Amino acid sequence: MDAEVVIAGAGPNGLMLASELRLAGVRPIVLEKLPERSTVPRANGLVGQVVRMLDRRGLYERLSGTPGPPRPAPGFVFGAMPLPLDVLEENPVYLLPVPQVRIEEVLQERALELGVEIRRGHELTGLTQDADGVTVSLSGPDGAYQLRAGYLVGADGGHSTTRKLAGIDFPGVTNDSMVSRTGSAAVPPEYIEDGLLKIPGYGVVPPFLHQRTERGLFVWAPFPDRLPAISTGEWDTPPDGDVTFQELQESADRVLGVHLPLVEPTGEGVRQLRRVVGGNSRLASSFRSGRVLLVGDAAHVHSAIGGPGLNLGLQDAVNLGWKLAAEVQGWAPPGLLDTYESERRPVGERVVMHTQAQSALIAPGDDVTALRKLFGEFLTDPRNVLRVAELISGADIRYAEGSHPLVGRWAPDLMVGSVRLAELMRPARPLLVDLTPDASFADLVPEPVEVVTGRGEAPIALLIRPDGYIAWAAEQDGAAEREALRDAVAQWFQPRPLTSATR
C-alpha cells in the first residue's frame, strides 16, 4: 500500500479529516487539484457545535485570536427572523466569525504539524476497488500515476469526482428562482450610527443579519478585518454577462425600495464580486461504497442560509476520522464504519430540511409575510427558541439510546480537577472520565480508551467517544452500570488487554 487512506480534497473537511486520522496514528495522503490554496471568499465563519468541537482540538484560540473557551452567541437569525438566544438558560449556539480562507490556513498548518502529506496540483481521474483496497488514478505535475490505498475519502465538494467515480447517486432538487449577488462594498459613514446601518426611508439594519423585504434579501457585512461586503437576494432573471458593481447597486436599491449609495472600498484585501443563480439541495444516496467514503459537500449540498455548511462537514470529518482509523488499525468492532453513514446521513437530512424551510421563509409574497408573522409569534416562547437553536447548532443530535439520558449526546462542558474536558479531549482518543473516589471503573476499559480520574458531581463517570459524544454514563457505581460499561466498550471499542493507565 502507498497509503492507508487517500483523501481527495484539501478544503476544510479534507484537512480536518487528515488531522483526525494522524491523531489516531494513521498516515493519510491528501490530494488537491488546485496548485495553491484558494483565496476566493466563501464562508464567513462557523455556526454551531463545530465551534466547541474545534475548542476540543485546541484550534479555537488559533482561529478566534482570543484566549479562553468559546461563549454562546446572544442572538442569531432563522429565516431572516431574529432568534433571541438571550432568553435561554442553556444556549447551544456558538459563532466564530472567521473567513474560510483563514480556516483553511489554520487547518492546513495543523495538518502539516501532525505530519500529513498534502499533494497540490494532483487531480483524481479514476478509481477501482477490490476487497483489499482502492487503486487511485491521478494526474499530477509530472504526469499520470497511480496510488494504492486502503480507503479513499472524497472531500472534493459538491461536484465531487470521487462520488461520481464511485457511482453514488446524488438525488435532490435544483431551484433556479433566486439570484444572489455579493460584492466588496462600503456605505457612506454618515449612514452608520452606534454600529447600525440607518437607511433613510427604510430603517435600521443590524450588521451581518439577513433582512427580508417583500422584494428580496439584504445583508450588510462590515467585516472588521477585511473589506466590507453587501449581499442581496432576488427572485428575478439576471442579466447576461459578468456581474458589475452597478448591478449590485441596483439590486440593493430594488430590495430596499430606496437608494443606498454603495462605495467601492479602498485598501488591501481580496475583492469579491459575484452572482449566483439558483441553488441545490442534494443528499448522496449513500455515504459509502465499499472502501470509498464521502464527507462534506461531496455527501450533501444545501442552501447557505444560516451558515450550516462547515458545521455539518467538519463534524462529518470528526465522526469518520476515529472510526476509519479503528478500521485501518484493526480494533474496530464489526459494523463500526457503517455507523458513519447511519449517524451522519440523518443529520444531513435535517440540515437540508431546515435550510429549505428558511429559504421558504425569506421568499417574497403576502402569504410568506403572514407565515413569518405567525412564526414570529412562536419565537416569543423560549421553548420554541430552544428547539430552533438546537436544530441550527446541531445540539439536537442523539446518536444512540441508552439507559442514561446522556448516552448518544454531546458531552457537557465540565471540569476534571482544574482541567477542562475540552483540553483532555485534544488527543482525540476515547476517554473514560472516572470521578469515583477509588477510580472503580478504570479497570473495566481496554486500550485504546484513555482513563482520566478525579473528583466531581454526578454523573460520576462518562465514556466519551473521540468525536465528543457520550457512549456510556453512570450516576452511581453498581452492577448494572458496570455491565452497561462493558457493553458500550464492546460496541464502540474492540477489547484489547486491559490497562489502567491514568492521568
Side-chain angles (χ1 to χ4, degrees):
M1 292 284 181
D2 299 300
E4 292 169 311
V5 178
V6 166
I7 300 170
N13 301 320
L15 293 170
M16 190 74 203
L17 175 61
S19 293
E20 291 293 296
L21 290 170
R22 281 301 297 129
L23 287 169
V26 172
R27 289 194 172 274
I29 294 176
V30 180
L31 307 169
E32 172 56 56
K33 66 180 180 180
L34 296 177
E36 301 290 341
R37 281 191 300 106
S38 174
T39 59
V40 176
R42 298 185 67 186
N44 291 315
L46 300 167
V47 180
Q49 295 292 94
V50 65
V51 178
R52 300 171 70 196
M53 183 271 290
L54 290 171
D55 181 40
R56 293 181 177 186
R57 292 298 185 263
L59 295 170
Y60 174 76
E61 290 188 3
R62 282 200 199 188
L63 286 164
S64 67
T66 59
R71 303 296 181 197
F76 199 55
V77 291
F78 183 85
M81 302 185 69
L83 193 62
L85 300 173
D86 54 356
V87 305
L88 301 179
E89 292 185 9
E90 295 187 13
N91 176 4
V93 179
Y94 292 75
L95 305 178
L96 184 56
V98 178
Q100 183 167 328
V101 171
R102 175 58 179 161
I103 294 170
E104 288 190 15
E105 180 182 22
V106 169
L107 291 179
Q108 177 174 288
E109 289 173 355
R110 178 58 170 157
L112 293 173
E113 289 168 4
L114 293 171
V116 173
E117 180 181 353
I118 302 173
R119 299 183 185 180
R120 293 193 173 273
H122 295 251
E123 184 174 3
L124 177 66
T125 59
L127 69 87
T128 59
Q129 61 173 314
D130 53 42
D132 300 317
V134 184
T135 300
V136 180
S137 299
L138 301 159
S139 174
D142 298 323
Y145 70 104
Q146 290 187 330
L147 283 177
R148 180 73 174 166
Y151 291 88
L152 169 66
V153 181
D156 45 354
H159 299 287
S160 172
T161 299
T162 307
R163 185 187 64 241
K164 294 171 184 175
L165 291 173
I168 299 174
D169 292 335
F170 204 38
V173 296
T174 297
N175 187 338
D176 294 328
S177 62
M178 185 175 183
V179 181
S180 63
R181 298 170 175 89
T182 300
S184 299
V187 298
E190 61 267 24
Y191 282 73
I192 301 173
E193 183 179 332
D194 297 328
L196 301 172
L197 178 59
K198 296 190 175 181
I199 307 172
Y202 175 78
V204 176
V205 175
F208 303 108
L209 300 181
H210 292 85
Q211 297 290 304
R212 183 258 184 188
T213 75
E214 288 290 346
R215 298 163 296 277
L217 204 64
F218 178 84
V219 182
W220 171 54
F223 298 111
D225 55 352
R226 53 199 151 118
L227 296 178
I230 294 290
S231 292
T232 66
E234 294 183 88
W235 285 259
D236 65 359
T237 302
D240 294 329
D242 295 335
V243 63
T244 65
F245 192 84
Q246 181 61 28
E247 180 183 332
L248 177 66
Q249 173 71 75
E250 293 170 354
S251 177
D253 291 348
R254 286 194 300 268
V255 170
L256 294 170
V258 298
H259 178 59
L260 171 66
L262 303 183
V263 181
E264 294 191 64
T266 59
E268 297 182 355
V270 177
R271 283 165 170 72
Q272 56 177 322
L273 185 61
R274 68 179 186 270
R275 180 202 306 132
V276 177
V277 180
N280 291 289
S281 294
R282 297 185 179 277
L283 192 68
S285 58
S286 175
F287 284 16
R288 179 186 180 189
S289 175
R291 290 177 172 266
V292 179
L293 300 108
L294 305 174
V295 297
D297 287 356
H300 36 65
V301 295
H302 46 78
S303 168
I305 190 168
L310 286 176
N311 186 30
L312 182 60
L314 289 173
Q315 293 211 78
D316 284 350
V318 174
N319 185 287
L320 176 60
W322 69 277
K323 296 173 181 178
L324 186 53
E327 195 73 26
V328 168
Q329 295 170 336
W331 58 266
L336 177 67
L337 193 54
D338 290 331
T339 66
Y340 166 62
E341 177 169 343
S342 65
E343 290 184 344
R344 293 305 298 170
R345 196 171 187 279
V347 180
E349 289 176 343
R350 286 186 66 74
V351 171
V352 169
M353 175 272 290
H354 79 67
T355 54
Q356 287 179 322
Q358 292 187 72
S359 296
L361 283 169
I362 65 172
D366 292 341
D367 52 347
V368 176
T369 300
L371 176 63
R372 291 173 62 84
K373 184 177 180 180
L374 177 61
F375 202 90
E377 293 179 6
F378 292 156
L379 292 181
T380 61
D381 187 331
R383 293 172 298 177
N384 294 331
V385 174
L386 179 61
R387 182 73 175 266
V388 174
E390 289 182 334
L391 174 67
I392 63 175
S393 68
D396 61 347
I397 296 171
R398 186 169 187 179
Y399 286 143
E401 300 290 335
S403 57
H404 193 284
L406 287 177
V407 171
R409 296 192 179 277
W410 179 260
D413 292 327
L414 53 85
M415 300 291 293
V416 181
S418 61
V419 182
R420 292 193 301 127
L421 177 64
E423 297 173 46
L424 296 172
M425 296 197 65
R426 287 176 182 173
R429 297 192 61 183
L431 191 66
L432 175 71
V433 179
D434 189 341
L435 304 179
T436 58
D438 55 355
S440 58
F441 293 108
D443 61 349
L444 299 179
V445 296
E447 292 184 353
V449 180
E450 184 174 354
V451 178
V452 177
T453 60
R455 298 291 182 271
E457 304 294 330
I460 62 170
L462 294 170
L463 179 63
I464 306 173
R465 306 183 336 180
D467 57 359
Y469 285 83
I470 297 171
W472 167 87
E475 303 286 341
Q476 60 186 7
D477 181 4
E481 287 77 16
R482 288 172 166 262
E483 185 62 27
L485 175 57
R486 293 187 184 96
D487 290 343
V489 167
Q491 178 182 1
W492 297 109
F493 317 111
Q494 181 148 328
R496 288 180 175 180
L498 293 180
T499 68
S500 57
T502 62
R503 289 193 177 199

